[in-house]
Amino acid sequence: MVAGIVAGAAIAALVASSGGVGGGAGECVRLRAEGRFAPPSALIPSDAVTYDMDLVPAAAFIEVEQKLDANGTRVRMRGVRPGHAYGAHVHTAPCGTRPDDAGPHYQHVLDPDRVDPANEVWLDFTADARGEGTASARHGWGFRPGEARSVVVHRAPGGAGERVACFSVPFGPQPRG
């Protein structure tokens, strides 16, 4: 049991560039972060925390990209429950030992009374038969510095719901121009 938790608690690798190398003409990756989920009580802490190991097992993989082009934000996960539909959103605080530690959804224009996919980053996906899923969100605005800090995975797609996992990501502001 302990060996499985330790193996699942690999420390997240982060590769970030400020206008670094992109994959093709007009594409420039601003940030790419990846991690392996571990429970909050893991011996080796991780930036990727699972609160429900049935839906997001220890050692499941997550990758988040923030691009400068029209593709905006992308999340990719592997090792999650096949066929399950997940919700995922950018949140305002880093992950913690409790699901609510990540704070509310990041909103471009603050409106605590309204959940709105045009004003937030929604990354809902359904895992395929191999337990892999990908989602992208395009938005014409950037993050305010220091105010987008994590991607929270929810039990079901849509505006909110039970938080089953969280990945702390050092998102950067989107340059203008």
Side-chain angles (χ1 to χ4, degrees):
M1 175 79 171
V2 173
I5 291 173
V6 171
I11 298 174
L14 173 65
V15 177
S17 63
S18 56
V21 179
E27 180 180 340
C28 184
V29 174
R30 170 85 170 144
L31 170 128
R32 180 173 165 260
E34 47 185 55
R36 297 270 177 190
F37 287 97
S41 61
L43 185 60
I44 300 172
S46 176
D47 287 334
V49 181
T50 179
Y51 307 111
D52 183 334
M53 291 211 302
D54 183 48
L55 291 177
V56 181
F61 172 84
I62 185 168
E63 175 185 74
V64 175
E65 287 184 356
Q66 177 189 13
K67 294 186 179 183
L68 299 177
D69 65 10
N71 290 323
T73 305
R74 184 183 84 129
V75 66
R76 180 171 63 109
M77 293 182 69
R78 274 195 320 259
V80 296
R81 183 192 286 171
H84 188 82
Y86 295 86
H89 308 96
V90 173
H91 281 245
T92 61
C95 308
T97 57
R98 297 171 307 155
D100 288 341
D101 289 346
H105 292 180
Y106 177 89
Q107 294 183 320
H108 176 59
V109 176
L110 296 176
D111 185 354
D113 297 326
R114 187 165 177 231
V115 174
D116 179 4
N119 190 35
E120 301 175 0
V121 180
W122 289 27
L123 298 157
D124 298 347
F125 66 95
T126 299
D128 66 14
R130 297 178 313 217
E132 296 182 18
T134 302
S136 296
R138 295 183 176 141
H139 36 84
W141 40 265
F143 298 122
R144 290 179 299 280
E147 293 188 35
R149 308 284 304 277
S150 61
V151 172
V152 171
V153 181
H154 296 268
R155 175 175 296 280
E162 183 182 351
R163 299 172 185 201
V164 298
C166 182
F167 182 39
S168 293
V169 179
F171 288 106
Q174 193 112 355
R176 303 278 177 216

